[in-house]
Amino acid sequence: MTQQADAIIEVDGLSARYGAHTVLDGVSFRVRRGEIFVILGGSGSGKSTLLRNLVGLMRPAAGRIVLNSQDFTAMDEAERLAVRKKMGMCFQGSALLNSMTVLDNVALPLREHTRLKSSTIDIMARIKLELVGLGRFGRYYPPELSGGMRKRAGVARAMAMDPEIICYDEPSAGLDPVVAAGVDKLIRKMQQTFHLTSVVVTHELASVDLIADTVCVLHDGQVLAIGPPDEVKRSSHPYVQQFFSRQPEAEVSDNNEYIRSITQL
C-alpha cells in the first residue's frame, strides 16, 4: 500500500502568517495511519504553528490539510469541531487547570462533549489515569504533582475521548533526561496499545531515536528533509547535518577592523 493511500493526515502547500510575517511557507507531507511522526526543528522554525494548524487552532493562509480523506481547511466551525473531537492534544505545559483535581482534569473533555453519566465519566477517567501510571493520584491537584507526572496527566486527558490522532507539543520540554525518556516511552506505549497516529513536535534529538517512525525536519518554515530517522540523519542538507551533529551556528566574524580601532584608543 502506498504512503498516500495509507495517509491519515495530508498537508499540501501549507502556509501560515502572523501579519506580514510568513511562518510556514508551502509545507507538504503525509502522515501514515498508526505511525509516530516527529516534527523536528530549532526554535522559531514553525513547529508549533504547524501543530496549531493541524489541530484547527489556526486557519492557514494557503494550502490545505486533509484528515481521514476530508478537507479540514474547507470545513465550517461545526464540522471542524466534530473532527477535533477525534483528536487529542497534549500541550507543552500540560495546560491542566490547577483548581481541579487530576481526575476532573482528565474527565473534563467527556463532561463537555458527551452526555454520559457522571459515574461513567469518572470510571473512564480513572482508566486513562491507570494507563499512564497515575491511578493513585486522581484526587491530587496539578501543583501537587511533579513535572513528569503533570505531563502524564496531560496525556491521560488527551486520551479521554479515545482519539484516532494525538498531537504532542514538546512533550519532554523542561524534564530531566530520565523523566523525559519515561514520557517518550509512554508515547510509544499509547501508540502501540491503541494503534494511534501520533504527531510529536520536539527539538530533542534523544526523542527521535526512542519514538520516531518518520522524521520531518523543519527550518525557517520549510521542510528540509523527511523520512525514516536513519535516512534523514544521512541528509546532505547543511542545516540537517548541523542539527543532528549539534554544531553551533557560524559565529559572527571577528570584525578585525573594529578590534584594531578600539585597541588604538
Side-chain angles (χ1 to χ4, degrees):
M1 185 176 289
T2 65
Q3 182 178 6
Q4 183 163 351
D6 197 32
I8 189 172
I9 301 172
E10 302 174 57
V11 177
D12 291 308
L14 186 70
S15 295
R17 301 186 185 94
Y18 295 109
H21 179 56
T22 298
V23 181
L24 298 174
D25 186 11
V27 170
S28 297
F29 58 83
R30 305 287 183 271
V31 180
R32 290 172 292 136
R33 191 179 302 275
E35 76 170 331
I36 298 181
F37 187 91
V38 173
I39 301 170
L40 191 66
S43 298
S45 61
K47 303 188 305 298
S48 293
T49 297
L50 176 54
L51 199 61
R52 284 195 287 272
N53 277 270
L54 285 179
V55 299
L57 296 178
M58 286 181 65
R59 282 191 180 269
R64 66 176 192 153
I65 299 168
V66 177
L67 303 176
N68 268 325
S69 301
Q70 296 180 298
D71 190 343
F72 189 51
T73 47
M75 295 177 180
D76 61 31
E77 285 306 314
E79 292 170 325
R80 286 160 67 86
L81 179 59
V83 171
R84 283 202 296 266
K85 289 178 182 179
K86 298 179 182 179
M87 303 176 71
M89 179 70 194
C90 191
F91 296 93
Q92 181 173 340
S94 299
L96 300 173
L97 300 175
N98 289 339
S99 60
M100 299 173 65
T101 66
V102 172
L103 181 68
D104 286 337
N105 268 281
V106 175
L108 185 59
L110 294 165
R111 298 192 195 285
E112 291 290 322
H113 299 297
T114 74
R115 296 182 179 180
L116 295 171
K117 293 181 180 180
S118 182
S119 58
T120 302
I121 289 174
D122 282 348
I123 291 170
M124 294 175 68
R126 290 179 191 279
I127 290 172
K128 296 304 189 295
L129 285 174
E130 288 285 352
L131 284 171
V132 302
L134 293 178
R136 297 186 296 108
F137 296 91
R139 295 303 174 190
Y140 283 61
Y141 287 84
E144 298 174 323
L145 303 182
S146 67
M149 293 168 76
R150 287 195 295 273
K151 294 280 188 179
R152 288 175 174 270
V155 173
R157 186 182 59 189
M159 289 291 300
M161 298 281 289
D162 295 323
E164 294 180 284
I165 301 169
I166 186 165
C167 299
Y168 302 85
D169 188 8
E170 300 283 5
S172 56
L175 302 178
D176 68 59
V178 174
V179 176
V183 172
D184 286 336
K185 289 179 180 179
L186 176 63
I187 292 171
R188 176 60 76 181
K189 174 186 173 183
M190 294 295 103
Q191 180 254 353
Q192 292 174 337
T193 302
F194 299 99
H195 307 291
L196 288 170
T197 302
S198 304
V199 179
V200 183
V201 160
T202 187
H203 63 270
E204 301 284 351
L205 294 180
S207 295
V208 173
D209 294 325
L210 282 173
I211 65 173
D213 295 315
T214 300
V215 177
C216 172
V217 180
L218 200 64
H219 180 61
D220 285 342
Q222 296 184 324
V223 174
L224 301 187
I226 188 168
D230 289 343
E231 179 182 306
V232 170
K233 288 178 183 180
R234 296 193 299 269
S235 170
S236 61
H237 194 285
Y239 178 82
V240 179
Q241 292 180 345
Q242 178 187 29
F243 193 91
F244 278 99
S245 61
R246 302 184 67 205
Q247 294 296 317
E249 293 184 9
E251 295 181 357
V252 178
S253 65
D254 290 338
N255 197 345
N256 291 330
E257 290 297 326
Y258 174 73
I259 294 173
R260 280 196 294 269
S261 70
I262 63 173
T263 56
Q264 292 172 1
L265 293 178

